Amino acid sequence: MNSKALTKVDLIFESIDAREVLTTAFSMPNEKIIDQVLESGLRGRGGAGFPTGMKWKFTAAEKDPEKYIVCNADEGEPGTFKDREILDRVVYKVYGGMAIAGKAIGAKKGFIYLRGEYRFLLPQLYLELHKFHKMIAEIGYDFNIEYRMGSGAYICGEESALFESIEGFRGEPRNKPPYPTTSGLFCKPTSINNVETLVTAMMIIAKGPQEYVKLGTKDSRGSKVFSVSGDTPVPGIYELELGMTVQQFVDEFGDGDTKAVQVGGASGFCVPRKKFEETIIGFEGVPTGGSMKLFNSSRSMYNVLHNYLDFFAEESCGQCTPCRVGCQQLLKGVEKVKKGEAKSTYLNELVKLADTMKVASKCGLGQSVGNAFKSIVENFREEIIY
Amino acid sequence: MVKDLADKYGRTRESLMPILQDIVKKHNYLTDEAMVEVATELDISAAEVYGTASFYTFLDTEERGKNVIRVCKTITCSMKGKIDIISTLEEILKIKVGETTPDKMFTLLETNCIGWCHKAPAMLINDMPYTDLTPESVIDIIKGYMRK
């Protein structure tokens, strides 16, 4: 197995001369910007991991003169808080990344959808936005960014639900296709990227893709900002090179008694101690939008699972039946098993339901409930039953 | 007020969220009258306005106090003592989760992950986050709001 050592990196929060990078980017042919991002191997940092360069390429190929770049700052995955830190510390790089993306795809307008829980950041974000618009005007380029606020709906982090919300509707995901690159915000070609993805893209243009590919592995290039919480003496935000194993992660951040790590939040995977050595954190192993929660042996995995299912039952938008009813039934089901009202074999039925939700749900929410459910039930079955 | 907001944000459907968000910011929640007024200004049905508002947790359509407290109940905050924070708040405010004080100063709610897991337990009072909470710090924070 080709795992890498745990290495701390400082790319996202490093100060750069934004004016210089943007002046260079604006003088580059659009194809060259896209080629550099493609070459870097950058994949979306929100969690789903779609290749960023491909997204830009598809949007650029659309003929519509009106296109949008949307920054997804609706960070709501339990255990994720890195986008807030990025916005707080280096928002000028988010704006810069959006301008570069806009140049690449041919969009003059950008929107940032910020979750309502981060509204307190707005005054300083607007202050920086004012500076950014002034700088862009001085460079002699035409690009404009506006904020739109969320109002406490986790599902609005799903790209098409986010568009619905900006357009003034209930945040219910759309059917796909068409994909956002063809028909996104206001039914126009749209590239929607996570906060960290946009900053990383700007750093790739600043430093060159050759520098970036030196970091990470074949499937997971570069570095990533991790949000570390739970049973750890050092909770916080860390930028790490991709490709380490869960064991290496636990050696650095654990409290010496770690029994499981939830990688990727409530919609991610639970890795038990016996699989720490063999599991790589990245797209070849367990992918993550950055959420890393450590649980030590004092924690009940039933409580963890129950908390996640309660979360999903509340946050399911209710539009499609597999997700709406599925989340409720999984929650009720584990409660029944715990209370002894259902036999332990009932868990097998619930696993089948989770599988059905994966294939039958309309969007990523319902499709990923089974990740945490199955990985916790399979690895900690006795804790769920007794 | 609704008319002013419509003048500010426009009268297209995409103005709906910013208008509703501003009303909640000022009046803590959306009254039936306010939603009907918004519907009239935007020339859409009141059911559309209510249907949209009721989808979003922060666009409250039930009466809320001047200060809305939302305590995070997701896993890390739950592991790090959310229960003690809730019971302290219930004690000092003399209300249960979901209720509003008789003087309409405080509403106590629970909410899902607010992005402060590394400083758990955490809560929001209106827009402001409070982190690394202890029963003692919660009392100080609430007393601060009571004095305002």
Side-chain angles (χ1 to χ4, degrees):
Chain A
M1 190 185 49
N2 301 313
S3 68
K4 290 219 156 189
L6 185 141
T7 316
K8 290 186 179 159
V9 181
D10 183 22
L11 204 60
I12 296 292
F13 298 105
E14 183 190 339
S15 322
I16 53 162
D17 185 339
R19 183 186 295 258
E20 195 186 304
V21 180
L22 290 178
T23 308
T24 311
F26 295 154
S27 67
M28 282 162 73
N30 296 352
E31 302 74 39
K32 198 177 169 202
I33 298 176
I34 294 174
D35 283 344
Q36 293 209 346
V37 176
L38 277 172
E39 206 182 309
S40 74
L42 174 63
R43 296 172 67 166
R45 294 299 191 229
F50 191 81
T52 308
M54 296 298 280
K55 201 179 261 187
W56 290 8
K57 196 176 176 175
F58 294 149
T59 320
E62 292 292 327
K63 297 280 177 271
D64 202 312
E66 210 179 327
K67 299 178 188 177
Y68 298 108
I69 167 82
V70 175
C71 169
N72 187 342
D74 193 49
E75 176 179 60
E77 190 60 50
T80 316
F81 40 88
K82 48 117 189 155
D83 289 341
R84 190 203 64 238
E85 190 85 356
I86 294 172
L87 290 164
D88 192 18
R89 285 166 59 186
V90 288
V91 72
Y92 72 99
K93 287 162 81 171
V94 180
Y95 300 151
M98 288 177 75
I100 292 170
K103 167 81 166 76
I105 67 169
K108 295 287 176 203
K109 176 112 199 151
F111 288 94
I112 301 179
Y113 186 88
L114 182 69
R115 72 184 306 214
E117 289 85 342
Y118 294 169
R119 185 183 275 274
F120 71 100
L121 287 172
L122 264 187
Q124 78 183 70
L125 298 179
Y126 272 125
L127 207 66
E128 288 293 324
L129 186 60
H130 180 72
K131 283 189 212 163
F132 170 79
H133 281 149
K134 195 162 159 260
M135 178 182 72
I136 287 280
E138 283 166 10
I139 297 175
Y141 189 74
D142 172 25
F143 184 72
N144 176 274
I145 296 173
E146 283 184 31
Y147 274 95
R148 288 291 183 276
M149 296 305 297
S151 271
Y154 167 77
I155 189 58
C156 287
E158 197 280 342
E159 53 192 18
S160 62
L162 188 153
F163 300 146
E164 289 289 311
S165 183
I166 294 185
E167 292 177 21
F169 297 93
R170 292 164 68 86
E172 292 174 347
R174 300 171 182 169
N175 284 325
K176 295 181 199 175
Y179 293 97
T181 52
T182 319
S183 176
L185 185 60
F186 303 117
C187 297
K188 297 289 178 188
T190 305
S191 176
I192 175 163
N193 299 105
N194 168 261
V195 172
E196 185 185 349
T197 309
L198 290 160
V199 173
T200 309
M202 187 178 189
M203 294 310 286
I204 288 164
I205 298 301
K207 299 194 172 236
Q210 305 82 359
E211 278 301 305
Y212 195 72
V213 295
K214 284 180 191 164
L215 296 172
T217 65
K218 189 174 143 287
D219 289 326
S220 311
R221 288 280 177 227
S223 56
K224 162 110 202 62
V225 184
F226 288 89
S227 311
V228 182
S229 69
D231 294 312
T232 165
V234 282
I237 285 148
Y238 300 88
E239 185 174 359
L240 305 171
E241 184 177 355
L242 287 169
M244 70 200 131
T245 62
V246 178
Q247 184 64 56
Q248 288 165 319
F249 179 86
V250 168
D251 290 343
E252 178 79 17
F253 298 103
D255 62 358
D257 186 26
T258 310
K259 78 165 169 188
V261 181
Q262 180 76 18
V263 183
S267 57
F269 296 86
C270 180
V271 182
R273 187 185 288 151
K274 62 176 184 283
K275 292 182 185 161
F276 284 175
E277 283 286 357
E278 64 186 64
T279 311
I280 291 184
I281 300 164
F283 297 106
E284 55 269 81
V286 277
T288 174
S291 172
M292 303 292 289
K293 278 183 286 187
L294 297 100
F295 301 113
N296 69 19
S297 59
S298 73
R299 305 296 174 186
S300 150
M301 295 312 286
Y302 171 80
N303 288 349
V304 173
L305 179 62
H306 190 275
N307 191 283
Y308 288 160
L309 292 175
D310 183 58
F311 173 84
F312 283 125
E314 272 186 19
E315 297 293 348
S316 168
C317 82
Q319 185 187 190
C320 77
T321 314
C323 176
R324 182 186 65 246
V325 180
C327 289
Q328 293 169 1
Q329 291 306 317
L330 290 180
L331 179 61
K332 283 185 186 169
V334 294
E335 285 175 351
K336 272 189 192 169
V337 172
K338 189 74 177 174
K339 285 184 198 151
E341 292 168 11
K343 282 187 187 156
S344 61
T345 48
Y346 187 54
L347 283 176
N348 306 342
E349 298 299 313
L350 295 176
V351 167
K352 278 190 214 160
L353 173 59
D355 285 334
T356 306
M357 288 171 70
K358 194 174 185 71
V359 291
S361 296
K362 185 167 172 176
C363 82
L365 193 156
Q367 289 163 12
S368 53
V369 172
N371 295 347
F373 184 82
K374 286 176 70 178
S375 54
I376 294 177
V377 167
E378 279 161 13
N379 292 302
F380 296 96
R381 198 179 168 93
E382 67 291 349
E383 289 194 34
I384 309 302
I385 300 168
Y386 304 106
Chain B
M1 178 195 182
V2 172
K3 194 172 173 306
D4 294 342
L5 288 173
D7 287 339
K8 181 179 171 190
Y9 291 112
R11 288 175 165 76
T12 54
R13 182 69 192 235
E14 54 173 302
S15 324
L16 180 58
M17 288 287 285
I19 291 174
L20 296 179
Q21 285 163 345
D22 274 17
I23 297 174
V24 170
K25 203 169 160 57
K26 192 136 191 263
H27 297 289
N28 317 321
Y29 74 108
L30 299 163
T31 59
D32 291 354
E33 293 74 25
M35 284 188 276
V36 170
E37 223 178 308
V38 171
T40 311
E41 285 296 331
L42 266 55
D43 197 19
I44 53 178
S45 97
E48 284 283 332
V49 176
Y50 178 76
T52 305
S54 58
F55 184 86
Y56 297 93
T57 320
F58 288 8
L59 298 179
D60 292 298
T61 53
E62 282 169 47
E63 187 171 20
R64 298 291 184 233
K66 185 162 179 275
N67 301 298
V68 180
I69 306 167
R70 297 176 200 271
V71 181
C72 177
K73 64 169 179 174
T74 307
I75 190 67
T76 313
C77 286
S78 163
M79 281 160 49
K80 304 273 173 176
K82 178 218 85 171
I83 290 182
D84 297 335
I85 302 306
I86 292 280
S87 57
T88 306
L89 284 165
E90 287 181 335
E91 209 167 297
I92 187 168
L93 298 170
K94 299 182 181 64
I95 51 171
K96 296 279 173 209
V97 172
E99 295 176 351
T100 300
T101 53
D103 62 1
K104 314 283 183 221
M105 282 300 286
F106 295 94
T107 297
L108 177 59
L109 301 171
E110 287 185 329
T111 193
N112 286 324
C113 190
I114 55 173
W116 290 96
C117 320
H118 57 323
K119 295 183 177 177
M123 66 178 179
L124 288 173
I125 299 185
N126 306 324
D127 292 341
M128 197 48 65
Y130 294 90
T131 61
D132 288 319
L133 298 173
T134 60
E136 295 73 35
S137 71
V138 165
I139 292 170
D140 286 344
I141 293 163
I142 296 301
K143 281 187 176 162
Y145 276 85
M146 284 173 167
R147 278 194 294 270
K148 269 186 202 172

